[in-house]
Amino acid sequence: MTTTTASILNNPFLNKGTAFTQAERQALGLVGTLPSHVQTLDEQATQAYAQFQSKPNNLEKRIFLMSLFNENRTLFFRLMDDHVVEFMPIVYDPTVADSIEEYSHLFTDPQNAAFISVDDPDNIEASLKNAADGRDIRLVVVTDAEGILGMGDWGVNGVDIAVGKLMVYTAAAGIDPAQVLPVSIDAGTNNEKLLADPLYLGNHHKRVSGDQYYDVIDRFVTAEQKLFPESLLHWEDFGRSNAQVILDKYKDKIATFNDDIQGTGMVVLAGILGALNISKEDIKDQKFVTFGAGTAGMGIANQILDELKRAGLSEDEARKHFYAVDKQGLLFNDTPDLTAAQKPFTRDRAEFDNADDLTNLAAVVKTVHPTVLIGTSTQPGTFTEDIVKDMAAHTERPIIFPLSNPTKLAEATAADLIKWTDGKALIATGIPASDVDYKGTTYHIGQGNNALMYPGLGFGLIAAKAKVLNGETLSAACHALGGIVDTTQPGAAVLPPVSQLTEFSQKLAEIVAQSVVDQKLNKEPITDAKQAVAEMKWVPAYQNID
Ligand SMILES: NC(=O)c1ccc[n+]([C@@H]2O[C@H](COP(=O)([O-])OP(=O)(O)OC[C@H]3O[C@@H](n4cnc5c(N)ncnc54)[C@H](O)[C@@H]3O)[C@@H](O)[C@H]2O)c1
Ligand SMILES: O=C(O)C[C@H](O)C(=O)O
Ligand SMILES: [Mn+2]
């Protein structure tokens, strides 16, 4: 086997398989290594889609798509372009959750990810360099997998969420798949099941924490910035105690964001703005109960707080609109074990006659009468019929977003929420939900998943070569989806459908890039933000190689 033949057929960024032309086969030393008939990309896509459809369940479909991804990125993304609504739940949430649980058992290919081990800090830079293999990396998605979706600690298995997030980036916004790098930081795992499994592919020890952990994170950021100075760094599914700390450490120094904090905050605010367009209400009149005051819950609260302040409320007035509920019940300023992110959103016991009773969601809803209820608790079925009916009795159009992922963790289903509120609830769910037919109206359910936002946000930042991401740009992005949702139809969704993902990601990217340029936050001169986005966009088509 010559190096040329092996390297091109095994290089998913260059491989075309049966689509290599006769001239290319001659030039590249591929004559005789492929069947004679030369296929077009269209023919390959038709054939691959038929294979995909023949698979018996979603996990098998995913395994098939991942092997295609590992062999030929162009074909994979062409297929995903053609079938984005069908593929999203397979390559991303919820099926990605099943593949993460089974990662070590299903392993066939490292998927061009970088694997960093806490036990080998001196090789962090080398690991990134080897995995990038000379590619011009513009986007890194990194996870330490301590808080994978709502499923907890999955150690090295969590690399699949970084790969999945990046697939959505390319499908939605058009980042060149050769310019991305998924990174797993293997800091150990506290998942006993993995530690006891001889086939587990990560470090077989408990998570390291404290200085040793933060030193590895710091070395990683330093190496990442040195090797890929033009890149955006996206943090995914870190644990509750680290996510905000890491973001605060780097957010004013480099182009970076945390998807669970900021991406989720953005999609929820965009969804609330969509809902308020339908109900014709003002955000300043809303009372927000966030159930599950963790990484996502507090990210959401902060994004809404920012919006209330932009709408003219003082910081103190704005904070009075929030009721954060966690395991302890409503969070008070004297509640033990508050996180740094929770503290600014606590209430005073003196505000309530029944403060000591507010130890669960039902009691809080009964007392507070929220107009907006957000679920990021990881606790399935906790938006019960009683709670929802109680909420709906005190507000005309209750805004209810059960966002916990994957499917089995959702606080409620869209169908139940529509039924329990007699069609009044304005809903977004974390995973895709089917339309709900109720009393002659078809209700479309928006997907309140950060996948609607982070591709456009990230792509806009990369195209504009942003130095940092700030609140101004986040706010501009939250408002970007407004015009896309047709809120005049009965049963309209509060967010645009995934079928328009590429269209609105493009719009979002343009608005984000413009915001960066307007604030002079671009590292290099840019005359036309829209054009910078257009020039950066990759499309799945074969280029001539000879
Ligand atoms: N739809 C989206 O775009 C999106 C984005 C991010 C996170 N999420 C989902 O939100 C959930 C939380 O994610 P996270 O990253 O914030 O995790 P996290 O661990 O940081 O937060 C979860 C919070 O829920 C609290 N909690 C646990 N049990 C509870 C109970 N019985 N009552 C009240 N609170 C309880 C925890 O104490 C913690 O504060 C996950 O299921 C995740 O998939 C969805
Ligand atoms: O991964 C997702 O589906 C959304 C979100 O980032 C999550 O952690 O649940
Ligand atoms: Mn996440």
Side-chain angles (χ1 to χ4, degrees):
M1 193 160 56
T2 71
T3 25
T4 323
T5 309
S7 63
I8 196 132
L9 288 180
N10 292 322
N11 183 334
F13 306 108
L14 298 176
N15 188 23
K16 302 182 187 178
T18 51
F20 277 118
T21 62
Q22 294 298 356
E24 285 171 333
R25 294 177 191 205
Q26 286 289 347
L28 299 167
L30 296 176
V31 172
T33 67
L34 291 160
S36 320
H37 180 67
V38 174
Q39 286 186 301
T40 63
L41 182 55
D42 274 358
E43 286 168 348
Q44 288 182 315
T46 305
Q47 186 187 35
Y49 186 58
Q51 292 174 4
F52 167 84
Q53 285 181 304
S54 75
K55 302 299 169 195
N57 57 49
N58 286 350
L59 187 56
E60 290 297 331
K61 284 184 171 157
R62 188 186 150 86
I63 292 168
F64 169 74
L65 288 181
M66 290 313 299
S67 70
L68 199 61
F69 175 84
N70 291 327
E71 285 162 23
N72 182 337
R73 293 288 201 275
T74 311
L75 177 53
F76 171 85
F77 282 111
R78 163 58 201 273
L79 213 51
M80 188 148 173
D81 259 13
D82 290 349
H83 308 281
V84 69
V85 176
E86 191 178 1
F87 279 22
M88 279 289 282
I90 308 284
V91 302
Y92 182 61
D93 210 358
T95 311
V96 70
D98 302 331
S99 85
I100 288 169
E101 291 183 352
E102 292 302 319
Y103 176 80
S104 296
H105 295 251
L106 296 173
F107 184 90
T108 55
D109 189 288
Q111 302 169 148
N112 303 94
F115 294 88
I116 284 172
S117 169
V118 75
D119 297 335
D120 194 11
D122 292 338
N123 272 319
I124 291 176
E125 189 175 329
S127 307
L128 294 174
K129 199 162 182 239
N130 291 340
D133 194 23
R135 290 178 290 125
D136 174 16
I137 301 298
R138 300 295 176 93
L139 173 61
V140 171
V141 174
V142 61
T143 186
D144 79 346
E146 189 177 356
I148 288 290
L149 314 176
M151 312 185 312
D153 184 345
W154 285 91
V156 81
N157 293 18
V159 70
D160 271 356
I161 196 67
V163 174
K165 292 269 169 184
L166 284 165
M167 286 170 157
V168 177
Y169 263 110
T170 296
I175 178 95
D176 181 344
Q179 295 192 316
V180 309
L181 186 66
V183 178
S184 153
I185 296 185
D186 183 351
T189 180
N190 296 338
N191 183 330
E192 297 292 347
K193 200 173 140 214
L194 295 182
L195 290 173
D197 181 354
L199 289 183
Y200 174 56
L201 290 169
N203 287 324
H204 282 246
H205 61 65
K206 294 262 183 203
R207 269 181 191 276
V208 305
S209 58
D211 288 348
Q212 189 188 351
Y213 174 81
Y214 285 113
D215 181 52
V216 165
I217 297 292
D218 208 49
R219 286 197 194 202
F220 158 69
V221 174
T222 306
E224 193 274 340
Q225 289 292 301
K226 178 180 161 198
L227 291 171
F228 319 122
E230 299 209 85
S231 68
L232 170 71
L233 181 50
H234 163 147
W235 306 86
E236 190 69 44
D237 290 354
F238 282 69
R240 193 181 80 162
S241 57
N242 293 324
Q244 186 75 51
V245 177
I246 294 172
L247 179 64
D248 288 345
K249 188 162 174 188
Y250 300 104
K251 72 176 188 324
D252 298 326
K253 301 192 178 86
I254 60 172
T256 194
F257 74 96
N258 180 297
D259 183 38
D260 299 289
I261 298 173
Q262 294 160 298
T264 315
M266 287 165 71
V267 77
V268 171
L269 176 55
I272 290 172
L273 294 174
L276 295 174
N277 269 342
I278 296 173
S279 67
K280 306 275 175 275
E281 290 182 30
D282 192 322
I283 194 159
K284 297 198 290 301
D285 298 330
Q286 308 306 312
K287 280 191 254 178
F288 304 91
V289 166
T290 46
F291 181 60
T295 310
M298 299 329 292
I300 292 164
N302 274 303
Q303 193 63 54
I304 301 171
L305 178 81
D306 179 79
E307 183 69 15
L308 289 173
K309 290 197 297 189
R310 285 172 197 275
L313 298 190
S314 72
E315 174 101 18
D316 279 355
E317 283 168 343
R319 286 196 190 281
K320 291 211 169 70
H321 290 245
F322 294 90
Y323 302 84
V325 181
D326 208 89
K327 283 179 189 155
Q328 307 97 312
L330 183 66
L331 298 181
F332 292 106
N333 44 22
D334 63 357
T335 302
D337 303 322
L338 292 170
T339 66
Q342 289 168 345
K343 277 182 191 153
F345 286 94
T346 54
R347 309 293 302 214
D348 199 323
R349 283 183 192 273
E351 292 177 66
F352 305 90
D353 296 337
N354 60 342
D356 292 347
D357 299 334
L358 301 178
T359 54
N360 58 67
L361 182 63
V364 174
V365 169
K366 207 173 201 50
T367 303
V368 165
H369 299 161
T371 60
V372 181
L373 175 61
I374 311 285
T376 49
S377 66
T378 74
Q379 301 301 308
T382 41
F383 291 177
T384 62
E385 184 169 356
D386 283 353
I387 290 174
V388 169
K389 284 192 163 159
D390 188 13
M391 179 179 176
H394 299 96
T395 184
E396 183 55 26
R397 301 301 308 267
I399 298 175
I400 309 181
F401 292 1
L403 298 180
S404 287
N405 294 324
T407 319
K408 61 187 173 198
L409 299 183
E411 285 84 0
T413 65
D416 278 344
L417 293 174
I418 293 287
K419 197 169 67 186
W420 296 339
T421 62
D422 200 25
K424 293 287 183 357
L426 296 162
I427 302 165
T429 53
I431 35 95
S434 311
D435 290 349
V436 178
D437 290 319
Y438 180 79
K439 292 189 178 169
T441 301
T442 299
Y443 293 86
H444 304 287
I445 311 299
Q447 191 178 355
N449 191 297
N450 47 35
L452 269 73
M453 303 302 271
Y454 74 74
L457 170 71
F459 197 69
L461 294 172
I462 297 164
K465 297 193 170 38
K467 288 180 201 158
V468 290
L469 165 62
N470 65 11
E472 197 59 37
T473 301
L474 281 170
S475 175
C478 291
H479 286 263
L481 302 193
I484 297 177
V485 192
D486 180 2
T487 50
T488 59
Q489 297 298 318
V494 302
L495 285 159
V498 170
S499 56
Q500 291 173 23
L501 186 62
T502 49
E503 187 186 325
F504 62 73
S505 294
Q506 165 101 20
K507 181 170 171 191
L508 208 54
E510 287 170 2
I511 286 170
V512 166
Q514 190 62 55
S515 166
V516 170
V517 173
D518 289 348
Q519 296 178 80
K520 302 192 172 35
L521 288 172
N522 40 317
K523 287 180 195 156
E524 293 164 25
I526 289 177
T527 42
D528 185 340
K530 212 169 164 177
Q531 194 188 334
V533 169
E535 281 170 6
M536 183 93 198
K537 196 172 163 68
W538 177 87
V539 287
Y542 290 133
Q543 307 302 321
N544 283 332
I545 318 174
D546 41 34

